[in-house]
Structures are given as structure tokens and as C-alpha cells.
Amino acid sequence: MTGAGISTDSGIPDFRGPSGLWRNDPDHEKLVTIDYYLADPDIRRRSWQFRRDSPARTAVPNAAHLALVELERAGLLDRLVTQNIDGLHQKAGSSPDRVLELHGNMSGVLCVRCEARSTLAEALARIDGGEPDPACLVCGGILKTTTVMFGEALPGEVVAEAVRATERSTTFVAIGTSLQVQPAASLAGLAVRSGARLVIVNAEPTPYDDFATELIRDPIGEAVPQLVARFTA
């Protein structure tokens, strides 16, 4: 399971780390909270600007993403559960059917009323054309990216498959995640209860460190390739 920390070497800031978005701008969390987003047009305008200016749009996979592709090609990766919305695992070459995106993906756009779908590129083109808060072209409803905002439920089938994969795992590796956001964090505990080894690769302590077989504090871009090399040796 990967969190924001795996993408920081690709130039995408994390959320809860020492230089994370939430610590630098606590008000920023409103931009990705569904109740604020639906109720306040100004929040929506700021949220679209955040998406337009996000470094995730032009980011490329780093050594850690590429190492997980090698783990898959070696036949040792069953599922890749990610809390990230940047799509970098797929860009690196991970099989889309093995990647379980718990929080959705920023590349798509959804109408909250009629559920019509379009792309982020289309929405941003309308914003650049003078529509700071573009409405659905089908019904006039509010548009949002196909990401799971705070206050929204995670996609049920994706969560269910993540649980199934966790229960059958022999080794569960948590990479670059604070293991604080539920229900994703609970997968680490489920892995331990199911008899798996728990390996945590994260610079900061997590609530599950005491249950880990191995804790790795080295930089993720170095630690993950080294870990994969050990697994595939």
C-alpha cells in the first residue's frame, strides 16, 4: 500500500509530513472536503485552480514507482493498493487491474447530480476559457474530479478487493503513508491479524510501528528499490 510519500520524489508534496500541505496551510483541507466544496462556489473555484496548478499533472514516476513495477514483473506483487490520486503507478507501468485506487483518480471529472463523466483536461480547458467553476454540460450540476474527497465514502468494491488482497497476503508493505487515515490504515492491522509480515517504509513514526516486522526510515526513492532487490534476489 502506498501513500503520498512515494510521490514526493516526483515533485508532489505530501499532506501530513513536516512540509505537508495541511501543515503549511490548514485551510487548504477545505478545498478537498465535499461539504465545503458543494456549498461554496469560491471553494470550488479555488479547488479547480489547485487542480490546474497541481504538480501531479506533469509529474513522472520515480525510482520507487519503477521498482514496484519490477516486483510485479517478478510475480511477487498481488495487488498495489494506493491512497494516491496521481496515477503514477500506472504511468510507471504497473498493470491497471492490479492497482486499487482507494481515493479515486484526478484524471476524470464527474457531475454530482447526473453522474455524467468527462475528463480533467476538458474541465481545465473550460476554466482557461473563462469558466472558473464549470457546470455540467448535460444537466447544469456541480462538477468535481473523480477523487474521493473528505466526507465521501470510498468506492465499496475497491475497498472490498483491497481487504481480500490483504487477507491473502504473506507480506504487506506500507510505503510513504502515515497510516492515520481510515479505513486504509486499518489494512495494516488486518494484514498482521491474517498472519502477514508487515514492513513499513516511512520517514515518520506511524500508529502501526509496534506491529511491524521491519521499519525502514531511509528515503523512499532509495529504500523501495533496495527492498524490491531483496525480495527478488
Side-chain angles (χ1 to χ4, degrees):
M1 181 169 72
T2 62
I6 197 173
S7 294
T8 55
D9 279 359
S10 295
I12 303 174
D14 64 8
F15 301 105
R16 292 177 173 80
S19 301
L21 289 173
W22 298 166
R23 294 195 184 187
N24 291 335
D25 182 7
D27 193 55
H28 192 94
E29 192 167 336
K30 292 180 179 179
L31 304 186
V32 290
T33 299
I34 190 64
D35 289 343
Y36 287 110
Y37 186 86
L38 295 179
D40 189 340
D42 183 60
I43 289 291
R44 291 199 296 276
R45 288 191 289 268
R46 291 170 56 197
S47 184
W48 283 118
Q49 291 297 320
F50 167 62
R51 296 297 186 205
R52 188 185 69 173
D53 299 336
S54 172
R57 291 183 56 218
T58 55
V60 297
N62 61 57
H65 296 104
L66 297 172
L68 294 179
V69 176
E70 294 304 312
L71 189 66
E72 178 184 337
R73 290 174 178 169
L76 298 175
L77 189 148
D78 178 28
R79 291 291 185 273
L80 203 170
V81 182
T82 186
Q83 297 171 272
N84 298 338
I85 61 172
D86 52 39
L88 288 181
H89 288 301
Q90 296 93 321
K91 289 181 181 179
S94 292
S95 300
D97 59 352
R98 291 184 186 267
V99 179
L100 301 176
E101 295 176 311
L102 293 178
H103 297 156
N105 191 295
M106 65 179 288
S107 64
V109 168
L110 173 74
C111 173
V112 300
R113 181 191 295 168
C114 74
E115 299 187 351
R117 291 179 178 267
S118 52
T119 68
L120 179 64
E122 291 173 299
L124 295 181
R126 292 174 63 190
I127 291 169
D128 290 339
E131 299 180 67
D133 179 21
C136 176
L137 293 174
V138 177
C139 73
I142 294 172
L143 297 180
K144 66 178 289 293
T145 56
T146 50
T147 56
V148 179
M149 290 184 166
F150 289 114
E152 290 189 291
L154 271 60
E157 183 49 42
V158 175
V159 173
E161 178 56 25
V163 168
R164 290 191 290 267
T166 299
E167 290 177 332
R168 65 176 177 255
S169 66
T170 56
T171 300
F172 185 99
V173 186
I175 302 169
T177 170
S178 64
L179 294 176
Q180 294 181 28
V181 178
Q182 300 294 349
S186 65
L187 293 175
L190 176 61
V192 173
R193 293 193 300 274
S194 300
R197 297 171 60 240
L198 174 62
V199 179
I200 296 176
V201 185
N202 200 58
E204 301 290 318
T206 82
Y208 291 86
D209 285 2
D210 289 344
F211 303 99
T213 306
E214 183 175 1
L215 292 173
I216 301 175
R217 303 295 191 203
D218 297 331
I220 290 173
E222 301 172 9
V224 175
Q226 292 171 0
L227 187 62
V228 168
R230 282 168 44 198
F231 286 155
T232 57

